[in-house]
């Protein structure tokens, strides 16, 4: 249904754009209908950048995104607008996603207005139906975003995403800015909605618990590259890459003394002279070849 | 929240009061002024303030109070015109530059940098010197440079706004550029623009008066504060009342706009303070 093919994105910065940061490098995956692929990785490894490319919000430096076999970056404006109803993205921080000057109802009806899909009573009915599905009520519609909690806002944003009846959701750490107790609620609602509306999903997270709860398949990212991809059960029971193993060990044995791979302070290597495997400094299986060549993920 | 701060801000209230007075006076000039501002009565030249001419008469025996009242109408409407044109041009260019970026942005911002290097009034002098003194040329001279500040500030605001999640999320639900700009970007920067325009009003009133004083703006005998000063300057030692009143009128008007601008800046949005500096 959706496929990323050799997606790469480099950001250039500094004087005369001299410095290059490979935020995402050669990432490929496929997501089938109704399936959830979890993009797992520590903060700064390029998950958001990858998600934004999948949603067509950032142009990749190279590679492409195929939605129903069509390259979304080759869409004409009309097709792109149509695509925007099919795929929705949910951002990490719900406090910043709605126009702070608009009441919730106005923000909620906005997608329908933009696409000329419904107005007046029809629009209100659809909003009411969805708002109840996510566990809120009409009382919340006349409030401003700052009057609601993060959990409530994330529900509103979920409702807004579903208003256009999409079949694909990119969820960029939708729970990571929420309290732990609220996280579970939102995750449960998310799973219910996904089932109810048969949504395919790219779910981005740095949290193994969340990944375990929601993923059909898991792709592990590290410093912009994809290390490993497979069925969630296989990855959890039999991780192949040493990085993934490290991650899982830290989950099973809560040892405060152990070096947690996610907290590692190895500098991000955006340096263009850097060669070899990005994980080599931390790896127990380091060999000569790790210094020379960057490994390529094989199917 | 702003409702709580409002009554506390006495300076803002005072500025608002002065401004309302100014606007009322200019709107109702024909009712407020006791005499025709251009009626010459030579036998009543240079009357001291008091009596039937509250602020006295000028060198031609015209009633100074009436001239100041009509001058308010003139100065205000001209300044409003200039500020509105500046605002429209500046916001249009600044939004386009900030939102779309690219070569157009580079080009316009270099132009803005160059124009901002000129002192305002000297540039206006130059323009009028070339085109000749008239009201349209005065407006043109003040607009030629005036839009740049709006453009620069608008561009900065738009640049930071377009990276924000709520703008990106509207793009993600299918809102086009025009929709995003008109419904979200411009409304979000209006508080900043209101403050900027208010402060700019004071500035423009001053510039118009200064150019008229130099005989490059509004021409005599039109009642205008700057040209009144100009006409009265020969009496500065013998009959100072002739220039004190129009001088005070300019100061009060500028003061009113600055008070209001500063007050609004604090009330509307604390962030405006960092972005718009006088
Ligand atoms: N707009 C941008 N300009 C420059 N660098 C960026 C930009 N967005 C992200 N990056 C860089 O790309 C890398 C990946 O960032 P991101 O995708 O946000 O990671 P994650 O979501 O996994 O935390 C980081 O090093 C970040 O600094
Ligand atoms: Mg992120």
């Amino acid at each position: 249904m959706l496929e990323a093919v050799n997606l790469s994105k480099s950001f250039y910065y500094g004087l005369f754009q001299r410095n290059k940061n490979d935020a995402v490098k050669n990432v490929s995956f496929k997501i089938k209908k109704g399936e959830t692929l979890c993009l797992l990785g520590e903060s700064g490894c390029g998950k958001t950048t990858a998600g934004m490319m999948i949603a067509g919000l950032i142009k990749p430096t190279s590679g492409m995104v195929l939605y129903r076999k069509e390259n979304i970056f080759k869409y004409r404006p009309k097709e792109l607008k149509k695509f925007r109803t099919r795929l929705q993205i949910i951002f990490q921080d719900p406090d910043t996603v709605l126009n702070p000057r608009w009441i919730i109802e106005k923000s909620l009806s906005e997608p329908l207005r933009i696409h000329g899909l419904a107005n007046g009573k029809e629009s209100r009915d659809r909003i009411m139906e969805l708002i109840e599905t996510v566990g809120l009520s009409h009382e919340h519609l006349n409030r401003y975003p700052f009057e609601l909690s993060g959990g409530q806002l994330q529900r509103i944003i979920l409702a807004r995403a579903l208003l256009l009846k999409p079949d694909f959701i990119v969820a960029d750490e939708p729970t990571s800015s929420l309290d732990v107790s609220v996280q579970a609620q939102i995750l449960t609602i998310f799973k219910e909605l996904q089932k109810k509306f048969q949504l395919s999903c790219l779910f981005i997270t740095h949290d193994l618990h969340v990944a375990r709860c929601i993923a059909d398949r898991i792709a592990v990212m590290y410093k912009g590259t994809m290390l490993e991809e497979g069925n969630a059960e296989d990855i959890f029971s039999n991780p192949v890459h040493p990085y993934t193993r490290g991650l899982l060990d830290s989950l099973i044995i809560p040892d405060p003394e152990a070096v947690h791979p996610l907290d590692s302070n190895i500098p991000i290597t955006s340096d263009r002279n850097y060669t070899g495997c990005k994980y080599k400094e931390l790896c127990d299986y380091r060999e000569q070849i790790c210094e020379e060549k960057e490994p390529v993920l094989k199917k | 929240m702003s409702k709580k701060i409002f009554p506390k801000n006495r300076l803002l209230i005072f500025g608002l009061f002065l401004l309302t007075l100014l606007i009322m006076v200019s709107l109702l000039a024909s009712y407020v002024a006791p005499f025709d501002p251009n009626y010459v009565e030579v036998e009543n030249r240079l009357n001291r303030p008091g009596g039937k001419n509250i602020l006295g008469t000028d060198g031609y025996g015209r009633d100074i109070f009436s001239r100041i009242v009509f001058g308010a109408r003139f100065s205000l409407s001209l300044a409003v015109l200039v500020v509105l044109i500046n605002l429209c041009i500046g916001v249009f260019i600044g939004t386009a530059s900030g939102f779309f970026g690219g070569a157009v942005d580079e080009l316009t911002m270099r132009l803005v940098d160059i124009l901002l290097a000129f002192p305002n009034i000297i540039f206006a002098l130059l323009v009028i010197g070339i085109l000749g003194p008239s009201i349209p040329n005065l407006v043109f001279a003040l607009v030629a440079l005036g839009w740049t500040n709006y453009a620069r500030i608008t561009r900065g605001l738009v640049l930071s706004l377009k990276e924000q999640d709520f703008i990106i999320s509207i793009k993600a639900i299918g809102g086009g550029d025009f929709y995003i700009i008109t419904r979200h970007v411009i409304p979000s920067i209006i508080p900043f623009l209101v403050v900027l325009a208010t402060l700019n009003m004071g500035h423009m009133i001053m510039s118009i008066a200064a150019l008229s004083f130099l005989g490059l703006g509004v021409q005599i005998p039109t009642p205008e504060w700057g040209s009144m000063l100009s006409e009265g300057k020969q009496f500065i030692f013998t009959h100072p009342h002739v220039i004190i009143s129009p001088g005070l009128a300019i100061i009060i008007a500028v003061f009113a706009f600055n008070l209001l601008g500063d007050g609004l800046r604090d009330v509307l949005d604390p962030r405006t303070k960092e972005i718009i500096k006088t």
Side-chain angles (χ1 to χ4, degrees):
Chain A
M1 167 154 206
L2 189 133
E3 193 178 347
V5 185
N6 291 328
L7 267 187
S8 300
K9 177 76 191 180
S10 309
F11 291 107
Y12 295 87
Y13 59 94
L15 195 61
F16 305 119
Q17 314 280 295
R18 257 189 317 193
N19 305 314
K20 184 175 155 200
N21 179 0
D22 291 321
V24 174
K25 211 170 165 187
N26 267 326
V27 165
S28 304
F29 51 77
K30 275 185 193 169
I31 300 175
K32 295 201 204 85
K33 181 144 185 59
E35 191 178 59
T36 301
L37 175 76
C38 216
L39 209 51
L40 184 66
E42 63 196 88
S43 164
C45 72
K47 306 181 299 292
T48 297
T49 309
M52 296 276 269
M53 287 194 282
I54 298 295
L57 293 170
I58 302 183
K59 270 214 158 69
T61 314
S62 66
M64 52 189 180
V65 175
L66 303 177
Y67 172 78
R68 295 181 188 271
K69 306 250 181 300
E70 283 185 79
N71 186 346
I72 64 167
F73 295 100
K74 295 265 159 65
Y75 278 148
R76 278 167 297 217
K78 221 172 155 184
E79 293 167 324
L80 183 64
K81 194 166 174 181
K82 173 97 178 131
F83 171 68
R84 299 279 189 219
T85 68
R86 313 309 307 143
L87 181 145
Q88 289 291 312
I89 181 163
I90 293 166
F91 292 99
Q92 180 168 0
D93 185 358
D95 295 336
T96 61
V97 170
L98 300 175
N99 188 330
R101 287 162 218 278
W102 284 14
I103 58 166
I104 300 298
E105 180 168 17
K106 196 170 173 193
S107 287
L108 269 176
S109 59
E110 189 172 27
L112 297 175
R113 266 183 285 128
I114 287 176
H115 293 279
L117 287 175
N119 45 35
K121 188 171 178 325
E122 202 189 334
S123 151
R124 244 194 107 81
D125 288 349
R126 258 168 88 175
I127 290 171
M128 283 311 301
E129 192 191 320
L130 271 166
I131 209 90
E132 277 160 20
T133 315
V134 297
L136 295 174
S137 74
H138 62 90
E139 286 168 37
H140 298 101
L141 292 179
N142 289 323
R143 308 271 190 85
Y144 284 92
F146 71 86
E147 296 177 288
L148 300 182
S149 70
Q152 288 170 327
L153 283 174
Q154 203 59 295
R155 289 168 199 238
I156 301 270
I157 291 160
L158 268 173
R160 182 170 81 155
L162 295 173
L163 216 50
L164 291 170
K165 304 189 174 139
D167 53 18
F168 196 100
I169 300 265
V170 175
D172 185 358
E173 312 208 32
T175 59
S176 65
S177 67
L178 306 174
D179 292 341
V180 180
S181 58
V182 185
Q183 282 189 5
Q185 290 172 15
I186 297 289
L187 222 51
T188 313
I189 293 177
F190 190 87
K191 276 178 87 168
E192 277 168 18
L193 292 172
Q194 206 184 351
K195 210 165 171 188
K196 185 169 171 188
F197 295 95
Q198 298 188 342
L199 300 164
S200 317
C201 179
L202 176 68
F203 197 101
I204 296 171
T205 184
H206 65 261
D207 187 331
L208 276 162
H209 299 279
V210 172
R212 182 168 245 173
C213 161
I214 205 135
D216 297 320
R217 300 171 65 75
I218 288 184
V220 182
M221 270 184 88
Y222 183 72
K223 291 184 186 174
T225 56
M226 220 164 88
L227 301 182
E228 183 164 9
E229 199 228 324
N231 282 329
E233 290 137 42
D234 295 346
I235 297 250
F236 277 108
S237 59
N238 187 20
V240 176
H241 198 281
Y243 174 71
T244 318
R245 267 185 230 170
L247 276 180
L248 291 176
D249 289 347
S250 71
L251 185 68
I252 298 158
I253 318 154
D255 177 4
E257 298 294 309
V259 181
H260 192 303
L262 292 184
D263 296 333
S264 61
N265 274 328
I266 302 296
I268 299 272
T269 42
S270 54
D271 174 1
R272 56 171 62 173
N273 298 320
Y274 190 86
T275 54
C277 176
K278 294 219 161 100
Y279 188 61
K280 66 188 179 203
E281 279 91 349
L282 288 172
C283 188
D284 296 336
Y285 304 88
R286 189 166 158 184
E287 295 170 25
Q288 182 55 33
I289 192 165
C290 301
E291 299 288 343
E292 290 150 12
K293 265 168 63 184
E294 181 159 8
V296 180
L297 182 62
K298 294 197 184 102
K299 293 277 132 144
Chain B
M1 196 173 78
S2 56
K3 276 181 194 114
K4 262 189 223 160
I5 303 172
F6 234 86
K8 280 189 195 159
N9 198 327
R10 297 211 193 93
L11 288 179
L12 173 70
I13 299 291
F14 186 56
L16 209 58
F17 168 76
L18 277 182
L19 202 66
T20 317
L21 203 71
L22 267 170
I23 293 171
M24 293 303 283
V25 164
S26 21
L27 286 178
L28 304 171
S30 351
Y31 301 99
V32 177
F35 300 99
D36 177 346
N38 287 326
Y39 181 66
V40 175
E41 210 173 345
V42 186
E43 56 271 33
N44 275 331
R45 294 180 76 226
L46 298 170
N47 278 358
R48 303 261 166 212
K52 95 178 150 106
N53 304 104
I54 312 168
L55 296 177
T57 57
D58 66 6
Y60 296 97
R62 295 173 297 196
D63 180 46
I64 291 181
F65 179 66
S66 303
R67 288 182 70 71
I68 285 191
V69 165
F70 276 90
R73 170 185 278 185
F74 213 93
S75 296
L76 278 190
S77 42
L78 210 54
V80 166
L81 182 71
V82 171
V83 166
L84 281 183
I85 298 176
N86 279 341
L87 186 74
C88 291
I89 299 177
V91 169
F92 183 81
I93 291 181
T95 309
S97 279
F99 198 84
F100 298 108
V104 180
D105 179 36
E106 282 292 320
L107 220 70
T108 48
M109 284 307 120
R110 290 302 81 76
L111 177 67
V112 165
D113 287 342
I114 293 168
L115 289 177
L116 278 172
F118 287 94
N120 256 329
I121 203 83
I122 296 187
F123 190 83
L125 279 176
L126 195 76
V127 171
I128 296 173
I130 295 167
L131 299 177
S134 73
I135 291 179
N137 289 350
L138 173 75
V139 172
F140 177 74
L142 292 174
V143 166
L145 258 190
W147 63 272
T148 51
N149 205 27
Y150 291 89
R152 195 176 52 83
I153 289 176
T154 304
R155 174 178 176 271
L157 291 169
V158 171
L159 269 182
S160 70
L161 211 57
K162 82 167 177 180
E163 298 292 323
Q164 284 180 25
D165 284 348
F166 88 91
I167 298 289
I168 298 175
S169 84
I170 290 149
K171 201 173 156 193
I173 58 174
D177 292 338
F178 183 75
Y179 176 88
I180 293 176
I181 289 173
T182 53
R183 299 298 170 83
H184 291 277
V185 174
I186 303 259
S188 301
I189 63 175
I190 278 179
F192 297 89
L193 297 178
V194 168
V195 174
L196 195 59
T198 312
L199 291 171
N200 197 218
M201 277 296 293
H203 203 104
M204 284 304 154
I205 287 176
M206 201 107 101
S207 301
I208 292 167
L211 289 169
S212 302
F213 178 79
L214 296 171
L216 296 173
V218 179
Q219 301 298 300
I220 43 181
T222 320
E224 198 279 341
W225 299 338
S227 58
M228 284 170 76
L229 280 179
S230 175
E231 282 183 294
K233 65 181 179 285
Q234 50 183 311
F235 307 112
I236 186 165
F237 295 116
T238 51
H239 301 86
H241 73 270
V242 177
I243 66 157
I244 286 176
S245 315
L248 274 177
I250 295 170
I251 291 170
I252 290 172
V254 173
F255 185 58
F257 279 106
N258 286 351
L259 273 185
L260 188 70
D262 280 337
L264 286 176
R265 177 161 61 179
D266 298 342
V267 168
L268 284 178
D269 197 331
R271 284 177 309 156
T272 37
K273 209 166 199 161
E274 289 145 36
I275 293 166
I276 304 171
K277 298 187 189 92
T278 13

